[in-house]
Amino acid sequence: MHKLWPWKLELRGTPSRAMTYWSPLIAIVLTMLLGALLFIALGKDPLAGLKVFLIDPFNGKRAISELLLKSVPLILCALGLAVCFRANIWNIGAEGQFTVGALFSGAMLVFLDVPGHAIPGGLGLLLMVLAGIVGGAFWASITALLRDRFNANEILVSLMLTYVAQLLLMYAVNGPLKDPNGMNFPQSKVFSGEFMLPMLLSGTRLHIGFAVTLVLAVLMTVFMTRSFRGFSLMVGGVAPHAARYAGFSSRSALWVSLLISGGFAGLAGAFEIAGPIGQLLPSVSPGYGFAAIIVAFIGRLHPVGAVLGGLVMSLLYLGGELAQSRLGLPSAITGVFQGMLLFLLLASDTLINYRLRRKVRI
C-alpha cells in the first residue's frame, strides 16, 4: 500500500492563506481536465468539447451578454448565501426562496398588468421587485422561525421548503395565475413590455439587473467588511463563544442572515421573470439556488468572489447548453460538470488545513 500511495495528509500549523485563493483555481482546472476525459469516454473530441465550454460563450457581443445575463441569479443568490454561511447558518433553500420570490413577483405583475391600468411601468417594476424580495425573505423566515422556536435543523427545513415552494408555483400557474388564453398550458400571461426590466445593451437580452447586481455586490462588501452588524455576523460564525461573550445575539444573527439571504434569492427570482423569461412558468429556475451554493464557496464567501464564481458557473450553464446543440450530449452534462467542480473544490480545500507529505519508511 505504501508503494501505491507514498503520500499522507499532515495537519498544518496554521491554515494556508495562499491555498485559500488557489483552491478554487485548482478545482476549476481539474474540472476541465476531467471534463476532457469525459468527452473522450463519450466518444467526442475533447478539444472541441472544451472549446464549447471555455471559448464559444465568449464568441461575440451576444454570447458575452448571455453569459452575463445567466450570472445575475447565480450572483444574487450567492451574495445572500455567503452571509448565511459566514454566520454559520446553513441555508440550503435558496432555490425555494428564489421560486417564491418569482411567484410573488409574478402575482404582482399579473395584478398590475391589466389593460387601461393607471399604474405606470416604473412604479410597477418597483412593486414587482419589492414583492420578490418580500417573498424570498418570507420563505426564509419560516426556516428562521422553526430554528429559533423549535431548534429545527435549518439544513433540512430550508431544503424541504424548496419542494413545497415548487408545488406552490405549480398550483399557481395551473390555477389563479394561469393565462386564460394560454391554450391550457401551465403558465401566466406574458407580461407587457412596460413591466419588463430595461435592457443594458441593445440587441441583447442583458437587462439592468446585471448593473444592480454589481452595485449590490459592492454594498455587501461594505456590509460584511466595514459594518458593525456584518462584523458581528462574521464573529458569530467563526467563534460563537467569543460572540456570546461580546454580547452579540445568535438569535439576531440567525434572523438577519436568513432574511438577507432570502431577500437576495427572491430578488433574483423577480429579475428572472421580468427579464429573460417574461412570464411565470413552472420551470422558472434550472437550479440556480443550488448552483449558487457552489458559487458562494468558489468565491470564498466574499461578495467580489461571488461575482467571479457566478461568471464561472454561468460559463458551465452556457457550455452545457451548447454541448447539447453542437455535440449532441444530454442535458445532464451541466450537472455533471457542476458536481465535479463541487467535489474537486471540497477536495482542494483540504489543502488549506493539510499538506501532502511523503510517508517515511520504518
Side-chain angles (χ1 to χ4, degrees), residues 116-184:
H117 207 288
I119 295 291
L123 179 58
L125 280 176
L126 178 61
L127 292 174
M128 179 274 299
V129 167
L130 291 176
I133 295 173
V134 169
F138 163 71
W139 208 244
S141 72
I142 300 176
T143 301
L145 178 64
L146 294 176
R147 165 71 187 273
D148 185 24
R149 294 294 299 275
F150 305 104
N151 198 31
N153 186 294
E154 73 271 18
I155 296 176
L156 295 177
V157 172
S158 60
L159 180 60
M160 293 300 102
L161 282 173
T162 295
Y163 302 106
V164 177
Q166 292 170 349
L167 291 174
L168 283 176
L169 176 61
M170 184 64 72
Y171 164 75
V173 295
N174 280 283
L177 301 183
K178 187 175 183 178
D179 182 8
N181 301 316
M183 300 179 66
N184 208 34

Side-chain angles (χ1 to χ4, degrees), residues 180-198:
N181 301 316
M183 300 179 66
N184 208 34
F185 284 104
Q187 61 188 29
S188 73
K189 62 183 290 187
V190 177
F191 305 128
S192 302
E194 62 179 320
F195 293 106
M196 301 293 288
L197 294 171

Side-chain angles (χ1 to χ4, degrees), residues 8-9 90 95 98 125 132 152-153 167 173 181 184 192 198 207 222 237 250 260 272 277 301 303 313 320 342 344 350:
K8 66 176 181 178
L9 287 174
W90 299 102
E95 179 77 1
F98 178 100
L125 280 176
N153 186 294
L167 291 174
V173 295
N181 301 316
N184 208 34
S192 302
H207 54 71
V222 174
S250 60
I260 289 175
E272 197 69 7
I277 298 180
L301 304 183
M313 190 59 65
L342 176 59
L344 292 169
T350 303

Side-chain angles (χ1 to χ4, degrees), residues 240-277:
H241 295 294
R244 284 195 293 270
Y245 182 79
F248 299 151
S249 170
S250 60
R251 184 183 184 193
S252 174
L254 169 70
W255 280 93
V256 170
S257 59
L258 277 170
L259 289 177
I260 289 175
S261 184
F264 271 104
L267 177 62
F271 281 173
E272 197 69 7
I273 64 151
I277 298 180

Side-chain angles (χ1 to χ4, degrees), residues 273-290:
I273 64 151
I277 298 180
Q279 63 182 148
L280 201 56
L281 299 171
S283 56
V284 69
S285 170
Y288 289 136
F290 293 125

Side-chain angles (χ1 to χ4, degrees), residues 19-24 27 297-298 300 342-354:
M19 279 304 303
T20 300
Y21 300 102
W22 278 106
S23 176
F297 281 105
I298 291 176
R300 307 288 81 178
L342 176 59
F343 175 80
L344 292 169
L345 179 64
L346 296 175
S348 300
D349 279 353
T350 303
L351 298 178
I352 296 175
N353 295 304
Y354 293 86

